[in-house]
Amino acid sequence: MANVKTQSSSKAGGLVSAIIIVACIFVGLLVWKFLMGASANFEGGDAEKGHPLNTLGMVYKGGFIVPVLLGMLLMVIVFSIERFFVIAKAAGKGNLDTFMSTVQADIKQGKIEEAIGTCDKQQGSVANAIRSALVKYQDVKKEGFNSEEASETIHKEIEEVTSLEMPMLEKNMTIISSLVSLGTLGGLLGTVSGMIKAFGALASAGTPDQAALATGISEALINTATGIFTSVLAIIAYNFFTSKIDDLTYSIDEAGTTIVNTYRHYRGSLKQ
């Protein structure tokens, strides 16, 4: 049943991500066509033949690849905001470092019920995983397992809970990482397109068309800049959220080690 729910949730999440991607590209197209391509941004009010009067007009002249790059930029922003809230929720309601200090102190003192209560107040993925390990700790304590059996049982419980929580934390991270490369490649495609136009103007019969040459070079540079900016933003977002996820995973592992060591101390005290 849990696997069925996980698969259903994954499919629903994939559909939502696909809708967001299409919506971002569509919004990028609208911004490029109606905002950047507005007649007020060009001499004579002609977006196709008029000279750009401002930055918006210059970006519009970047050509057909600009709305795609704008869509990618919006994707980075939207998915970054979504990841920020999801990871913040996974950390729980209170400060994570304070929570970990409190829980570990309770565990070391053998106050398991207090630690479970703290997890219930904190909530989030980290607290859920630790709570599950604490409940398993109580179970193995009742069963009287030796230290090695308890260690294996508790670690297995933590791994199972973490494996259920991690997909939620890492969801859409692949999209952000893909945009690192796609932003650069999209900018390169626009650059090549612009340079083709530039060299086409140079190769024209008679006197080279300076306007066409300038337009081609402008298109190349605008697409390069937009693609690089998208990639830089995606790299920053990916590294930031990867670091946050690693911190959450480390907190769970650290708590698991503390629980195991506490049980070993408890079993050791019984043998004395």
Side-chain angles (χ1 to χ4, degrees):
M1 182 64 71
N3 290 335
V4 173
K5 290 182 178 179
T6 301
Q7 291 176 358
S8 299
S9 177
S10 178
K11 290 181 180 179
L15 179 60
V16 171
S17 298
I19 292 174
I20 292 175
I21 291 173
V22 174
C24 286
I25 294 178
F26 182 69
V27 171
L29 179 61
L30 293 179
V31 170
W32 176 74
K33 183 67 176 178
F34 297 104
L35 179 61
M36 297 178 175
S39 59
N41 298 328
F42 302 92
E43 289 182 352
D46 190 341
E48 300 303 324
K49 297 180 180 180
H51 184 74
L53 297 175
N54 51 37
T55 303
L56 292 178
M58 289 180 62
V59 175
Y60 177 83
K61 288 293 187 179
F64 70 95
I65 199 66
V66 171
V68 178
L69 291 172
L70 289 176
M72 291 182 184
L73 181 59
L74 285 173
M75 286 179 219
V76 174
I77 295 172
V78 171
F79 285 119
S80 295
I81 293 173
E82 183 264 348
R83 284 295 88 195
F84 176 82
F85 284 108
V86 169
I87 292 175
K89 184 178 179 181
K93 293 183 177 180
N95 182 272
L96 184 60
D97 293 334
T98 303
F99 164 72
M100 289 300 302
S101 299
T102 303
V103 165
Q104 288 190 352
D106 288 339
I107 294 172
K108 290 177 181 178
Q109 295 173 19
K111 300 178 180 178
I112 304 303
E113 290 296 336
E114 287 82 348
I116 292 176
T118 302
C119 291
D120 290 336
K121 292 179 181 178
Q122 179 73 7
Q123 299 182 5
S125 298
V126 175
N128 290 340
I130 295 175
R131 186 187 190 284
S132 180
L134 290 171
V135 171
K136 182 60 66 174
Y137 170 90
Q138 291 180 320
D139 292 340
V140 298
K141 190 175 181 180
K142 291 178 181 178
E143 295 293 333
F145 291 168
N146 63 42
S147 297
E148 295 307 318
E149 289 176 335
S151 174
E152 183 179 349
T153 302
I154 293 172
H155 276 302
K156 184 177 180 180
E157 180 68 19
I158 292 176
E159 289 176 358
E160 289 178 354
V161 176
T162 303
S163 67
L164 294 175
E165 298 287 351
M166 287 305 293
M168 180 193 70
L169 297 177
E170 295 178 344
K171 178 186 171 185
N172 295 329
M173 289 296 292
T174 303
I175 296 176
I176 295 177
S177 65
S178 297
L179 289 170
V180 173
S181 299
L182 291 176
T184 303
L185 293 174
L188 179 60
L189 177 61
T191 300
V192 171
S193 174
M195 294 307 296
I196 289 174
K197 290 184 179 180
F199 284 114
L202 286 174
S204 61
T207 304
D209 189 341
Q210 294 182 356
L213 177 61
T215 299
I217 295 176
S218 176
E219 179 178 333
L221 296 178
I222 288 170
N223 285 294
T224 300
T226 307
I228 291 175
F229 180 74
T230 300
S231 295
V232 168
L233 191 61
I235 290 172
I236 293 173
Y238 181 80
N239 289 336
F240 175 78
F241 293 124
T242 298
S243 175
K244 289 293 184 181
I245 293 172
D246 289 342
D247 288 342
L248 297 180
T249 305
Y250 175 76
S251 296
I252 295 173
D253 292 340
E254 185 180 18
T257 301
T258 302
I259 295 171
V260 171
N261 291 337
T262 300
Y263 186 81
R264 285 174 176 167
H265 178 74
Y266 165 75
R267 291 293 297 174
S269 65
L270 293 179
K271 295 177 181 180
Q272 294 177 355

Short mmCIF file of all heavy atoms in Angstrom, two decimals, residues 204-238:
data_model
loop_
_atom_site.label_atom_id
_atom_site.label_comp_id
_atom_site.label_asym_id
_atom_site.label_seq_id
_atom_site.Cartn_x
_atom_site.Cartn_y
_atom_site.Cartn_z
N SER A 204 26.57 39.50 -47.78
CA SER A 204 25.58 40.00 -48.73
C SER A 204 26.27 40.76 -49.87
O SER A 204 27.35 41.31 -49.71
CB SER A 204 24.58 40.92 -48.03
OG SER A 204 25.25 42.04 -47.48
N ALA A 205 25.62 40.76 -51.02
CA ALA A 205 26.20 41.42 -52.20
C ALA A 205 26.30 42.92 -51.98
O ALA A 205 25.46 43.52 -51.33
CB ALA A 205 25.34 41.13 -53.41
N GLY A 206 27.35 43.52 -52.52
CA GLY A 206 27.51 44.96 -52.41
C GLY A 206 27.99 45.35 -51.02
O GLY A 206 28.74 44.64 -50.36
N THR A 207 27.52 46.50 -50.58
CA THR A 207 27.91 47.00 -49.25
C THR A 207 27.24 46.19 -48.16
O THR A 207 26.04 45.97 -48.22
CB THR A 207 27.48 48.48 -49.11
OG1 THR A 207 28.05 49.24 -50.18
CG2 THR A 207 27.96 49.04 -47.77
N PRO A 208 27.98 45.73 -47.16
CA PRO A 208 27.38 44.93 -46.08
C PRO A 208 26.29 45.72 -45.36
O PRO A 208 26.40 46.93 -45.17
CB PRO A 208 28.58 44.67 -45.15
CG PRO A 208 29.78 44.79 -46.03
CD PRO A 208 29.44 45.86 -47.03
N ASP A 209 25.24 45.03 -45.02
CA ASP A 209 24.13 45.63 -44.29
C ASP A 209 24.54 45.81 -42.83
O ASP A 209 24.54 44.85 -42.04
CB ASP A 209 22.89 44.74 -44.40
CG ASP A 209 21.65 45.43 -43.84
OD1 ASP A 209 21.79 46.40 -43.07
OD2 ASP A 209 20.53 44.97 -44.16
N GLN A 210 24.91 47.04 -42.44
CA GLN A 210 25.40 47.29 -41.09
C GLN A 210 24.31 47.04 -40.04
O GLN A 210 24.60 46.57 -38.94
CB GLN A 210 25.91 48.72 -40.98
CG GLN A 210 27.14 48.99 -41.84
CD GLN A 210 27.66 50.41 -41.67
OE1 GLN A 210 27.06 51.23 -40.98
NE2 GLN A 210 28.79 50.69 -42.31
N ALA A 211 23.06 47.35 -40.38
CA ALA A 211 21.97 47.13 -39.44
C ALA A 211 21.78 45.64 -39.16
O ALA A 211 21.62 45.21 -38.02
CB ALA A 211 20.68 47.73 -39.98
N ALA A 212 21.83 44.85 -40.24
CA ALA A 212 21.69 43.40 -40.08
C ALA A 212 22.87 42.82 -39.31
O ALA A 212 22.72 41.90 -38.49
CB ALA A 212 21.56 42.73 -41.44
N LEU A 213 24.06 43.37 -39.59
CA LEU A 213 25.26 42.92 -38.88
C LEU A 213 25.14 43.21 -37.38
O LEU A 213 25.42 42.35 -36.54
CB LEU A 213 26.50 43.60 -39.45
CG LEU A 213 27.84 43.29 -38.77
CD1 LEU A 213 28.15 41.80 -38.86
CD2 LEU A 213 28.96 44.12 -39.41
N ALA A 214 24.72 44.42 -37.06
CA ALA A 214 24.56 44.81 -35.66
C ALA A 214 23.49 43.98 -34.96
O ALA A 214 23.65 43.59 -33.81
CB ALA A 214 24.22 46.30 -35.57
N THR A 215 22.41 43.71 -35.69
CA THR A 215 21.32 42.90 -35.12
C THR A 215 21.80 41.48 -34.81
O THR A 215 21.49 40.92 -33.76
CB THR A 215 20.14 42.84 -36.09
OG1 THR A 215 19.65 44.16 -36.31
CG2 THR A 215 19.02 41.98 -35.52
N GLY A 216 22.57 40.92 -35.72
CA GLY A 216 23.07 39.56 -35.52
C GLY A 216 24.01 39.47 -34.33
O GLY A 216 23.91 38.55 -33.51
N ILE A 217 24.92 40.42 -34.22
CA ILE A 217 25.86 40.43 -33.09
C ILE A 217 25.10 40.67 -31.78
O ILE A 217 25.39 40.04 -30.76
CB ILE A 217 26.94 41.51 -33.29
CG1 ILE A 217 27.80 41.15 -34.52
CG2 ILE A 217 27.80 41.64 -32.04
CD1 ILE A 217 28.83 42.20 -34.87
N SER A 218 24.13 41.58 -31.82
CA SER A 218 23.32 41.85 -30.62
C SER A 218 22.57 40.61 -30.17
O SER A 218 22.54 40.29 -28.97
CB SER A 218 22.33 42.98 -30.92
OG SER A 218 21.47 43.19 -29.82
N GLU A 219 21.99 39.90 -31.11
CA GLU A 219 21.27 38.66 -30.78
C GLU A 219 22.20 37.65 -30.14
O GLU A 219 21.84 37.00 -29.15
CB GLU A 219 20.65 38.08 -32.04
CG GLU A 219 19.91 36.76 -31.81
CD GLU A 219 19.26 36.24 -33.08
OE1 GLU A 219 18.93 37.05 -33.96
OE2 GLU A 219 19.09 35.00 -33.17
N ALA A 220 23.42 37.54 -30.69
CA ALA A 220 24.39 36.58 -30.16
C ALA A 220 24.76 36.93 -28.72
O ALA A 220 24.77 36.06 -27.84
CB ALA A 220 25.64 36.57 -31.04
N LEU A 221 25.04 38.19 -28.45
CA LEU A 221 25.48 38.61 -27.12
C LEU A 221 24.35 38.53 -26.10
O LEU A 221 24.57 38.13 -24.95
CB LEU A 221 26.05 40.03 -27.18
CG LEU A 221 27.31 40.20 -28.03
CD1 LEU A 221 27.74 41.65 -28.05
CD2 LEU A 221 28.43 39.32 -27.50
N ILE A 222 23.15 38.90 -26.50
CA ILE A 222 22.00 38.87 -25.58
C ILE A 222 21.70 37.44 -25.15
O ILE A 222 21.48 37.16 -23.96
CB ILE A 222 20.76 39.51 -26.24
CG1 ILE A 222 20.94 41.03 -26.32
CG2 ILE A 222 19.49 39.18 -25.45
CD1 ILE A 222 19.89 41.72 -27.17
N ASN A 223 21.70 36.53 -26.09
CA ASN A 223 21.43 35.14 -25.76
C ASN A 223 22.53 34.55 -24.88
O ASN A 223 22.25 33.76 -23.96
CB ASN A 223 21.27 34.31 -27.03
CG ASN A 223 19.94 34.55 -27.71
OD1 ASN A 223 18.89 34.23 -27.17
ND2 ASN A 223 19.96 35.13 -28.89
N THR A 224 23.77 34.93 -25.17
CA THR A 224 24.87 34.45 -24.34
C THR A 224 24.70 34.91 -22.90
O THR A 224 24.83 34.12 -21.96
CB THR A 224 26.21 34.96 -24.89
OG1 THR A 224 26.39 34.49 -26.23
CG2 THR A 224 27.37 34.47 -24.02
N ALA A 225 24.42 36.20 -22.73
CA ALA A 225 24.26 36.76 -21.38
C ALA A 225 23.09 36.12 -20.64
O ALA A 225 23.21 35.77 -19.46
CB ALA A 225 24.06 38.28 -21.48
N THR A 226 21.96 35.95 -21.32
CA THR A 226 20.77 35.36 -20.69
C THR A 226 21.01 33.91 -20.30
O THR A 226 20.64 33.48 -19.21
CB THR A 226 19.56 35.45 -21.63
OG1 THR A 226 19.38 36.79 -22.07
CG2 THR A 226 18.30 34.99 -20.92
N GLY A 227 21.66 33.17 -21.18
CA GLY A 227 21.96 31.77 -20.89
C GLY A 227 22.92 31.61 -19.73
O GLY A 227 22.72 30.76 -18.85
N ILE A 228 23.95 32.44 -19.70
CA ILE A 228 24.92 32.38 -18.60
C ILE A 228 24.26 32.75 -17.27
O ILE A 228 24.49 32.08 -16.25
CB ILE A 228 26.13 33.30 -18.88
CG1 ILE A 228 26.96 32.74 -20.05
CG2 ILE A 228 26.99 33.47 -17.64
CD1 ILE A 228 28.08 33.65 -20.48
N PHE A 229 23.45 33.79 -17.29
CA PHE A 229 22.77 34.20 -16.05
C PHE A 229 21.86 33.09 -15.52
O PHE A 229 21.82 32.82 -14.32
CB PHE A 229 21.95 35.47 -16.32
CG PHE A 229 21.22 35.97 -15.09
CD1 PHE A 229 21.91 36.59 -14.07
CD2 PHE A 229 19.85 35.81 -14.97
CE1 PHE A 229 21.24 37.05 -12.94
CE2 PHE A 229 19.18 36.25 -13.85
CZ PHE A 229 19.88 36.88 -12.83
N THR A 230 21.14 32.42 -16.43
CA THR A 230 20.27 31.31 -16.03
C THR A 230 21.08 30.18 -15.42
O THR A 230 20.71 29.61 -14.38
CB THR A 230 19.49 30.79 -17.26
OG1 THR A 230 18.68 31.84 -17.80
CG2 THR A 230 18.59 29.62 -16.86
N SER A 231 22.21 29.85 -16.05
CA SER A 231 23.06 28.77 -15.54
C SER A 231 23.66 29.11 -14.18
O SER A 231 23.70 28.27 -13.28
CB SER A 231 24.18 28.47 -16.54
OG SER A 231 23.66 27.97 -17.75
N VAL A 232 24.11 30.34 -14.03
CA VAL A 232 24.70 30.77 -12.75
C VAL A 232 23.68 30.67 -11.62
O VAL A 232 23.95 30.16 -10.53
CB VAL A 232 25.25 32.21 -12.85
CG1 VAL A 232 25.59 32.76 -11.47
CG2 VAL A 232 26.47 32.25 -13.75
N LEU A 233 22.46 31.16 -11.89
CA LEU A 233 21.40 31.11 -10.88
C LEU A 233 21.05 29.65 -10.53
O LEU A 233 20.83 29.32 -9.36
CB LEU A 233 20.16 31.83 -11.40
CG LEU A 233 19.04 32.10 -10.38
CD1 LEU A 233 19.56 32.97 -9.25
CD2 LEU A 233 17.85 32.78 -11.06
N ALA A 234 21.02 28.79 -11.55
CA ALA A 234 20.71 27.37 -11.33
C ALA A 234 21.80 26.69 -10.51
O ALA A 234 21.51 25.87 -9.63
CB ALA A 234 20.52 26.65 -12.66
N ILE A 235 23.07 27.02 -10.78
CA ILE A 235 24.19 26.44 -10.02
C ILE A 235 24.11 26.84 -8.56
O ILE A 235 24.27 26.01 -7.66
CB ILE A 235 25.54 26.89 -10.63
CG1 ILE A 235 25.76 26.23 -11.99
CG2 ILE A 235 26.69 26.55 -9.69
CD1 ILE A 235 26.96 26.77 -12.73
N ILE A 236 23.85 28.13 -8.31
CA ILE A 236 23.76 28.61 -6.93
C ILE A 236 22.61 27.91 -6.20
O ILE A 236 22.77 27.46 -5.06
CB ILE A 236 23.55 30.14 -6.92
CG1 ILE A 236 24.80 30.85 -7.46
CG2 ILE A 236 23.22 30.63 -5.51
CD1 ILE A 236 24.62 32.34 -7.63
N ALA A 237 21.46 27.82 -6.86
CA ALA A 237 20.29 27.19 -6.24
C ALA A 237 20.55 25.71 -5.97
O ALA A 237 20.25 25.21 -4.88
CB ALA A 237 19.07 27.34 -7.15
N TYR A 238 21.13 25.01 -6.94
CA TYR A 238 21.38 23.57 -6.79
C TYR A 238 22.35 23.30 -5.64
O TYR A 238 22.10 22.43 -4.80
CB TYR A 238 21.93 23.00 -8.09
CG TYR A 238 22.19 21.51 -8.02
CD1 TYR A 238 21.15 20.60 -8.16
CD2 TYR A 238 23.48 21.02 -7.79
CE1 TYR A 238 21.38 19.23 -8.08
CE2 TYR A 238 23.71 19.65 -7.71
CZ TYR A 238 22.65 18.77 -7.85
OH TYR A 238 22.88 17.42 -7.77
#
